[in-house]
Amino acid sequence: MTTLPTQPLSPLDGRYRPAVAPLSEFFSEAGLNRARVEVEVEWLIHLTDSKLFGTEPLPLETKEKLRLAYLSFGQEEIDWLAERERVTRHDVKAVEYFVRDRLTQLGLDHLAELTHFACTSEDVNSTAYALTIKRGVEDVWLPAFRAAIDKLRGISLELADAPMLARTHGQPATPTTMGKELGVFVWRLQRVLTRIEATEYMAKFSGATGTWSAHLSAEPKAAWPTITREFVEGGLGLTFNPLTTQIESHDWQVELYDHVKHAGAILHNLAQDIWTYISLGYFTQIPVAGATGSSTMPHKINPIRFENAEANLEIAGGLFTTLGQTLVTSRLQRDLTDSTTQRNIGVAFGHSLLALSNLTGGLDQIALARDVLLADLDGNWEVLAEAIQTVIRAEVVAGRSEIADPYALLKDLTRGHRIGADDLAEFVGRLDIGDAAKQRLLALTPATYAGLAESIVRSKLK
């Protein structure tokens, strides 16, 4: 057997790369290193802007040239860091040497010792991860999540008036509308979206054990907590964590991953429900030219996008769970379990993004079969038993009926029996209730027994 040329081990970097490639801009090793360079450069600039140790703010032109170290970060820089890390065996130290090299190129050797000044690796890493996660979520994942919600909202509003037999416990139940049922998912997802949008992307920048010890040794009079807070919040747009061990505690990450996992669980529920509606014939699938559903059964159009979404949401959920369990704990002041774990953040978001792509694409390829829904309703007139026994109860309370135990009366008529429109009309005609109530019941059909379903959707999802 031949040996294959180097191949991607993960399907995210192979088969599914087109759907998830935008995430690699942030969650790849190169994306992380670029953010590390950004943190190192901006920290040096912040120190000089603060006029520490007799420095003066750099000229704007010099700052712009220095910032090119990360703004123009590309393959040459990736290769430089990889080569240096093979020597240092330490990724952040390689980044420090990279920044020092750029200072030399710009004739700024006199500032070299401000590179990585008073920093522990986690100061740089926590800040770089906060930047990459914030950008990856806000620039790539959240737009895809919002697009899926908006797509579903549009379908829900379009189908708000489409009556449908509900299937509680998988059995015929009080009618609803397809739009209202899909609207429930929109409502749920919107709540989780609000929580994700409120995420605090936190970083620490307080030295080896979170005490600013080295900083104070170098300059006891400087207000280091204020200086570092201004750097993290004002300079980088993150949230500063002032009380930590050597590492930022990752609690914000756990909260974010829990919310994304929660969103994934709701989407998983949606994918399963759509799959089931397709199997019931409620939705038809729009054929894609040239596509094959089965290698042996030519007629088939399989709901593969929803099945793919299910599987990838399960994988993403498992990874987010692992991230949350691992990142929330660190032995004493520091251990490295978080280091390798965080390198899989992009994998988790990748599977989630792939699921969103499949769900949105799947929703584009289905159409409601209103005739099937109406036929299903017309075959289940027994679902009006709820309305009839409830009306009887109201009539008894109002003194217009003396029927004992209306629920039992309807249970005897309908439980385990299929009855039709004529059977119910005859039954209602004999009821001891007021004429107005009787006429309301005689006018009722399964298709019109959907309550406020349409108005709920239009009022809540507009």
Side-chain angles (χ1 to χ4, degrees):
M1 184 177 293
T2 62
T3 300
L4 295 171
T6 301
Q7 298 293 309
L9 183 60
S10 166
L12 295 180
D13 288 320
R15 182 182 186 89
Y16 301 129
R17 182 164 180 78
V20 302
L23 286 175
S24 64
E25 181 76 14
F26 308 103
F27 291 120
S28 61
E29 191 73 13
L32 176 61
N33 274 334
R34 181 178 60 188
R36 285 166 167 161
V37 173
E38 179 180 354
V39 173
E40 295 280 14
V41 166
E42 292 300 332
W43 176 233
L44 187 149
I45 290 173
H46 187 68
L47 290 172
T48 57
D49 282 347
S50 301
K51 299 182 179 181
L52 286 160
F53 316 115
T55 62
E56 290 293 329
L58 296 172
L60 179 59
E61 182 181 357
T62 302
K63 291 180 181 179
E64 290 176 349
K65 289 179 179 178
L66 188 53
R67 284 173 171 142
L68 289 176
Y70 64 86
L71 292 174
S72 297
F73 193 89
Q75 191 60 53
E76 182 179 344
E77 289 74 22
I78 292 170
D79 294 341
W80 195 103
L81 284 169
E83 180 64 29
R84 185 52 61 96
E85 189 178 342
R86 277 191 283 271
V87 177
T88 63
R89 303 293 182 181
H90 194 290
D91 46 8
V92 176
K93 200 65 179 176
V95 168
E96 178 187 343
Y97 287 140
F98 174 80
V99 175
R100 284 173 175 265
D101 181 73
R102 286 304 170 97
L103 289 170
T104 297
Q105 292 179 27
L106 294 173
L108 298 172
D109 279 325
H110 63 288
L111 297 177
E113 295 307 326
L114 288 183
T115 308
H116 201 69
F117 183 82
C119 293
T120 184
S121 295
E122 179 62 11
D123 291 338
V124 176
N125 279 336
S126 76
T127 311
Y129 268 115
L131 287 172
T132 57
I133 296 169
K134 176 180 172 66
R135 292 164 180 170
V137 170
E138 293 184 348
D139 294 357
V140 181
W141 189 87
L142 268 175
F145 185 44
R146 293 191 190 102
I149 296 174
D150 289 343
K151 170 68 66 175
L152 194 60
R153 178 185 288 106
I155 296 173
S156 177
L157 289 167
E158 178 187 349
L159 306 181
D161 65 341
M164 176 184 78
L165 188 70
R167 296 272 177 175
T168 61
H169 304 278
Q171 306 302 309
T174 298
T176 178
T177 70
M178 179 62 80
K180 180 262 179 182
E181 296 311 304
L182 297 181
V184 171
F185 287 104
V186 176
W187 189 253
R188 296 172 68 189
L189 292 167
Q190 191 67 48
R191 290 184 69 250
V192 183
L193 171 63
T194 300
R195 285 158 174 74
I196 295 172
E197 290 176 332
T199 297
E200 289 184 295
Y201 297 88
M202 303 187 76
K204 58 91 63 176
F205 222 82
S206 47
T209 55
T211 60
W212 287 279
S213 298
H215 305 67
L216 288 170
S217 297
E219 178 47 81
K221 295 181 180 179
W224 287 107
T226 300
I227 291 169
T228 49
R229 177 185 289 276
E230 289 173 349
F231 168 63
V232 170
E233 297 190 344
L236 299 177
L238 303 172
T239 299
F240 183 63
N241 189 341
L243 189 54
T244 70
T245 60
Q246 183 176 99
I247 71 167
E248 200 288 318
S249 304
H250 306 318
D251 293 322
W252 71 267
Q253 288 193 51
V254 177
E255 293 163 3
L256 170 63
Y257 305 150
D258 280 348
H259 292 322
V260 176
K261 183 179 68 174
H262 183 185
I266 296 170
L267 292 168
H268 187 276
N269 190 181
L270 169 67
Q272 288 187 326
D273 274 13
I274 297 290
W275 188 97
T276 304
Y277 290 141
I278 291 171
S279 73
L280 291 170
Y282 288 4
F283 283 114
T284 60
Q285 296 182 91
I286 302 169
V288 177
T292 297
S294 166
S295 63
T296 187
M297 294 175 280
H299 69 284
K300 295 195 74 179
I301 306 176
N302 294 329
I304 56 174
R305 283 192 173 273
F306 299 103
E307 293 167 345
N308 184 294
E310 273 191 60
N312 280 285
L313 288 166
E314 289 165 7
I315 295 170
L319 288 169
F320 283 127
T321 297
T322 299
L323 287 167
Q325 290 173 339
T326 301
L327 294 179
V328 79
T329 302
S330 180
R331 293 176 185 86
L332 301 180
Q333 286 71 51
R334 175 65 163 132
D335 69 40
L336 275 175
T337 52
D338 63 333
S339 179
T340 190
T341 302
Q342 289 185 105
R343 283 186 161 86
N344 292 279
I345 294 169
V347 182
F349 275 105
H351 284 286
S352 179
L353 183 64
L354 179 58
L356 287 169
S357 174
N358 275 285
L359 268 174
T360 305
L363 291 172
D364 278 331
Q365 295 172 8
I366 58 175
L368 188 68
R370 289 180 180 253
D371 57 332
V372 175
L373 270 65
L374 291 173
D376 202 16
L377 287 162
D378 196 50
N380 288 275
W381 281 75
E382 60 271 16
V383 297
L384 296 182
E386 178 196 38
I388 297 170
Q389 63 99 5
T390 303
V391 169
I392 295 173
R393 289 183 176 199
E395 291 293 289
V396 171
V397 172
R400 293 188 290 269
S401 176
E402 296 182 358
I403 296 175
D405 200 349
Y407 180 88
L409 180 66
L410 270 297
K411 179 181 175 182
D412 290 341
L413 175 68
T414 60
R415 194 163 192 257
H417 306 295
R418 302 305 300 271
I419 59 175
D422 293 341
D423 300 315
L424 276 184
E426 181 182 350
F427 177 80
V428 170
R430 298 196 307 266
L431 285 177
D432 173 27
I433 58 177
D435 287 340
K438 188 173 294 188
Q439 292 307 311
R440 286 201 310 277
L441 288 176
L442 288 171
L444 199 60
T445 70
T448 59
Y449 185 47
L452 300 175
E454 180 180 356
S455 63
I456 292 171
V457 173
R458 301 204 185 283
S459 65
K460 297 301 180 183
L461 302 187
K462 60 184 179 181

